[in-house]
Amino acid sequence: MNNMTYEQALEKLKNTVEKLEEGSLPLDKSMELFEEGTRLASFCEKCLNEAEQKITDLKVDKKDD
């Protein structure tokens, strides 16, 4: 997942959720997808938090000028 962009992870997360929502998968496959979805969601959240921090830092730097 480290080589994945936010956009790629988000798209994969959307696809994972769609598969889970279908409800036609065996329990073990559903659990695998749920775990993967959890990892993808955490990765996306981390990316968004990092982007938010960069924006905050840029605003602070600009105020100092």
Side-chain angles (χ1 to χ4, degrees), residues 1 16 20 28-41:
M1 210 171 304
T16 299
L20 287 168
D28 60 334
K29 183 64 176 171
S30 293
M31 290 301 298
E32 286 176 25
L33 284 176
F34 182 81
E35 289 173 8
E36 180 181 9
T38 301
R39 286 190 298 272
L40 289 164

Side-chain angles (χ1 to χ4, degrees), residues 14 25 27 34 36 38 45-46 56 60 63:
K14 287 178 185 179
L25 297 171
L27 180 60
F34 182 81
E36 180 181 9
T38 301
E45 182 178 16
K46 179 182 171 216
T56 301
V60 169
K63 286 182 183 178

Side-chain angles (χ1 to χ4, degrees), residues 11-65:
E11 186 63 31
K12 191 166 185 177
L13 177 58
K14 287 178 185 179
N15 292 335
T16 299
V17 170
E18 287 174 4
K19 288 178 187 175
L20 287 168
E21 286 179 340
E22 289 174 5
S24 59
L25 297 171
L27 180 60
D28 60 334
K29 183 64 176 171
S30 293
M31 290 301 298
E32 286 176 25
L33 284 176
F34 182 81
E35 289 173 8
E36 180 181 9
T38 301
R39 286 190 298 272
L40 289 164
S42 293
F43 176 78
C44 289
E45 182 178 16
K46 179 182 171 216
C47 290
L48 290 174
N49 288 339
E50 288 173 359
E52 182 178 21
Q53 185 60 50
K54 286 180 184 179
I55 290 169
T56 301
D57 293 346
L58 289 170
K59 286 181 179 180
V60 169
D61 288 346
K62 189 167 183 157
K63 286 182 183 178
D64 292 341
D65 288 341

